Structures are given as C-alpha cells and as structure tokens.
Amino acid sequence: MGTEAVAATGLILLGYAAATDGIPQLAQVALGVLVLAAGGGATIFLGFHMKQRALPIPFVLGHGLIAITGFGLLLVAIFRGGL
C-alpha cells in the first residue's frame, strides 16, 4: 500500500468523523486544508505525471506546504484534546 492510499484513507476517515460524530472547529479547518492539498496532488498527478510532463516545482512545493500545514493543524487539534 502506497503513501497515497494511506493518506486517502486517513482523509476519508477524518471526513467520516466530521460528518457523523462531529469534530472540533480546528480539526474541521485541518480537514479543509488537507482536502485542498489532496486536490492539488491529484491535479499534479493527473495533469503532469500521467501525461509524462515535467512536474512544476512551485506546484509540488505548494502541495507539500499545504499538506504539512493541514497535518500540523490536525496535530494541534488532537493534542488540545479535541479528538
């Protein structure tokens, strides 16, 4: 199982928790940021990698920074005792 599958599974589970049990507001923000990062990753994969084009460095760095931000926000929400 690749890292993409693990990340997608975590995103789905977080979305499920948000939809059913409810999660703190900071975790909801983290979910939104992570969805944005996932969309960027899918765009990079489908728009460049699958077409065998060179990956644009600013997009790749932006995707990584957005994902790290979302993960950091989620960690803060967890360690504040919210999840």
Side-chain angles (χ1 to χ4, degrees):
M1 190 188 252
T3 57
E4 297 87 4
V6 173
T9 302
L11 190 60
I12 289 168
L13 290 173
L14 183 59
Y16 178 77
T20 57
D21 297 333
I23 57 176
Q25 187 173 8
L26 186 58
Q28 292 174 9
V29 171
L31 176 60
V33 172
L34 289 169
V35 167
L36 182 66
T43 301
I44 292 169
F45 180 74
L46 296 173
F48 295 94
H49 182 71
M50 291 298 290
K51 294 179 181 179
Q52 297 181 345
R53 293 182 173 169
L55 299 178
I57 300 302
F59 284 11
V60 173
L61 293 175
H63 163 68
L65 289 173
I66 292 169
I68 289 169
T69 301
F71 184 67
L73 289 170
L74 185 59
L75 285 176
V76 170
I78 290 170
F79 287 116
R80 280 189 178 171
L83 291 178

